[in-house]
Amino acid sequence: MEATRTLRELSCADDYDPDSLPVDRARALIREFLAPVTAVERVHIRSALDRVLAADVESPLDVPGHDNSAMDGWAVRFADLGGKAETILRRIGESFAGKPFDGEVHAGETVRIFTGAVMPRGADTVVMQERAREIPTGVAVAAGAVTKAGQNRRFAGEDLKRGAPVFRAGQPVRPAELGMLASLGIGEVSVYRRLRVAFFSTGDELRSVGQPLATGEIYDSNRYTLYGMLKRLGCEIIDMGVVADVPELLERAFRDAADTADVVITSGGVSVGEADFVKELLAKLGEVLFWKIAMKPGRPLAYGRIGNAHFFGLPGNPVSVMVTFYEFVRDALLVLQGRGNVAPVPMFKATLAAPIRKAPGRTEFQRAVLSPDGAGGWQVRTTGDQGSGILSSMSQANCFIVLAPETGNLDTGAPVDVQLLEGLL
Ligand code: AMP
Ligand code: MG
């Protein structure tokens, strides 16, 4: 995918307002600049879990490989069955799943057969066992037990024909795909190489876990949430630690990160005041746009390129980091990983179980708990205080309530859009 315009061209466009960029617009703009990885590796299918297929996969076999029975019963020749009367057939053997009958069924004969067992030669139809009974002289099939030839029989290749496309390049490998690959006897696949993501936290006040805290210092939690979110997306992670707000140190960190990674993510240092010197620094190292997204939390966001790497400068507040990651970075990483058809996170409606306060103007992502309403539907209430530093709100929440910019206060009972966090986290 070639970028259709440069970041510089974008920043000169008439309708582009970096001081109030709607969420959808920012997401779409980022998409314009993403070129997926192209390098490919061959891996055992187990190692392909959570990776993305880099080549189409065709079925090397017919699935199922042979005509077989869809149920336990009797393999018969349809032409043998009398129309109105019971038919007596001679039992000549059995066909088990994995142990086929190797003779042939001739006129007037039947073979006991079990689900998944290969259809014996000569037989074309299976009578379910409830419609037949064994008698001293053979097997009595009830009148009308089957109505057409081929009934209760699965045909070779009815699931997949040999040579048929099974997966397209861009398909993420999940447990179902692993099972399908195994069912076709495929032990190795081509996948795109993992995306390399480097990240660091900025801030003089930050200390790493294991260090003592002086007054006013806090532990760096963003590197841990980022680690978790990136790990879940199957990225190769380069944790560069905490970098103090010192221009020389920041410059070195940005350069090192961009040299080794496909994507560089930082937290902190992009809000007003701090942004000024980071802005200058990044203008020198690459092309970076500083945006005020019309959203809450997560207002300041920087996006651009440093060398060949994509750069996301996330806000410092712990909740803002997670919200901006899920709303912008996740989507972009999926595209960069080579996934086809990256769809927006699905939203559905739930009913407010308590009122919500909101000022019109921005998209809000309120942390909330979704639960059954007892009447077959779903209700949702916020976790309480929505401050962007309150990380426990993310831990308590199982969803975001997504409130459109024009929305104001809402009463109990109002329908709202909800995005589930499970499956993303
Ligand atoms: P900043 O965007 O750098 O102004 O940071 C905004 C707020 O988030 C400040 O209160 C910071 O102390 C806090 N913060 C920044 N980075 C981190 C971090 N890595 N872990 C926890 N809190 C942070
Ligand atoms: Mg800071």
Side-chain angles (χ1 to χ4, degrees):
M1 209 196 322
E2 277 297 305
T4 51
R5 52 182 165 171
T6 63
L7 285 160
R8 222 177 295 281
E9 281 164 0
L10 161 66
S11 58
C12 297
D14 289 346
D15 61 340
Y16 169 75
D17 179 4
D19 285 328
S20 177
L21 207 54
V23 171
D24 290 348
R25 186 83 206 291
R27 207 180 271 141
L29 288 176
I30 292 170
R31 279 267 183 129
E32 281 189 38
F33 298 98
L34 303 175
V37 290
T38 52
V40 169
E41 299 168 8
R42 289 287 290 176
V43 295
H44 184 271
I45 52 172
R46 278 216 175 100
S47 311
L49 183 64
D50 293 335
R51 310 277 299 262
V52 179
L53 292 179
D56 295 352
V57 173
E58 289 182 354
S59 179
L61 321 161
D62 279 335
V63 180
H66 303 274
D67 287 12
N68 67 84
S69 180
M71 47 183 62
D72 294 345
W74 298 90
V76 302
R77 298 160 68 101
F78 182 73
D80 280 353
L81 302 183
K84 298 241 154 45
E86 192 175 68
T87 306
I88 311 294
L89 300 171
R90 194 160 65 81
R91 172 183 181 142
I92 59 165
E94 297 88 33
S95 180
F96 297 97
K99 218 189 316 153
F101 175 74
D102 47 1
E104 183 169 345
V105 176
H106 300 98
E109 294 175 344
T110 186
V111 162
R112 180 75 169 121
I113 194 164
F114 298 92
T115 306
V118 173
M119 287 295 288
R121 266 176 297 127
D124 56 12
T125 302
V126 174
V127 173
M128 68 195 309
Q129 63 189 14
E130 291 78 4
R131 304 304 307 274
R133 66 201 155 84
E134 288 202 73
I135 56 172
T137 53
V139 179
V141 177
V146 288
T147 53
K148 60 178 198 309
Q151 214 167 324
N152 303 326
R153 168 177 159 199
R154 300 175 182 145
F155 292 87
E158 78 175 20
D159 185 356
L160 278 175
K161 292 243 180 318
R162 187 178 164 156
V166 183
F167 299 124
R168 296 287 180 206
Q171 168 72 47
V173 181
R174 303 162 301 173
E177 285 73 35
L178 283 187
M180 278 188 67
L181 290 165
S183 77
L184 297 171
I186 296 173
E188 268 193 5
V189 284
S190 297
V191 293
Y192 292 116
R193 76 161 167 77
R194 285 185 197 279
L195 212 55
R196 280 192 288 275
V197 182
F199 58 94
F200 56 90
S201 299
T202 68
D204 288 337
E205 75 282 24
L206 302 177
R207 290 292 166 270
S208 292
V209 174
Q211 295 175 342
L213 288 185
T215 309
E217 295 179 341
I218 58 169
Y219 284 117
D220 171 9
S221 59
N222 291 343
R223 256 164 62 230
Y224 288 82
T225 44
L226 279 171
Y227 169 88
M229 295 186 291
L230 290 166
K231 196 84 185 166
R232 289 252 168 123
L233 290 179
C235 298
E236 195 181 306
I237 289 167
I238 305 160
D239 180 344
M240 299 181 57
V242 174
V243 179
D245 294 317
V246 176
E248 296 72 41
L249 296 179
L250 282 168
E251 175 165 352
R252 195 160 73 223
F254 279 121
R255 283 187 193 280
D256 288 350
D259 281 349
T260 47
D262 302 299
V263 179
V264 178
I265 301 177
T266 61
S267 73
V270 289
S271 46
V272 192
E274 290 179 307
D276 292 343
F277 95 82
V278 178
K279 238 180 195 164
E280 256 171 54
L281 181 58
L282 288 171
K284 176 172 148 196
L285 300 177
E287 268 193 295
V288 176
L289 305 174
F290 285 78
W291 291 340
K292 286 201 189 81
I293 311 281
M295 71 187 279
K296 191 178 166 188
R299 186 163 224 204
L301 182 77
Y303 168 73
R305 296 187 72 98
I306 305 174
N308 287 324
H310 292 272
F311 169 66
F312 292 90
L314 308 185
N317 273 310
V319 177
S320 307
V321 165
M322 296 194 78
V323 173
T324 49
F325 185 94
Y326 286 135
E327 299 303 327
F328 302 106
V329 185
R330 174 183 177 275
D331 203 68
L333 295 179
L334 296 181
V335 172
L336 291 172
Q337 285 173 341
R339 290 215 205 191
N341 310 321
V342 174
V345 178
M347 283 208 266
F348 63 93
K349 293 271 186 229
T351 306
L352 273 187
I356 275 187
R357 298 182 54 75
K358 177 185 179 292
R362 297 195 254 168
T363 304
E364 285 196 17
F365 296 87
Q366 299 208 357
R367 278 75 69 206
V369 178
L370 185 71
S371 60
D373 67 2
W378 291 90
Q379 62 178 8
V380 66
R381 67 172 71 233
T382 69
T383 55
D385 197 340
Q386 296 289 307
S388 59
I390 303 174
L391 194 51
S392 58
S393 68
M394 277 302 298
S395 171
Q396 287 156 18
N398 62 8
C399 68
F400 291 135
I401 296 173
V402 185
L403 301 166
E406 61 278 10
T407 304
N409 291 340
L410 292 171
D411 290 330
T412 301
V416 286
D417 285 323
V418 164
Q419 265 179 352
L420 276 186
L421 292 175
E422 282 309 316
L424 291 180
L425 286 171

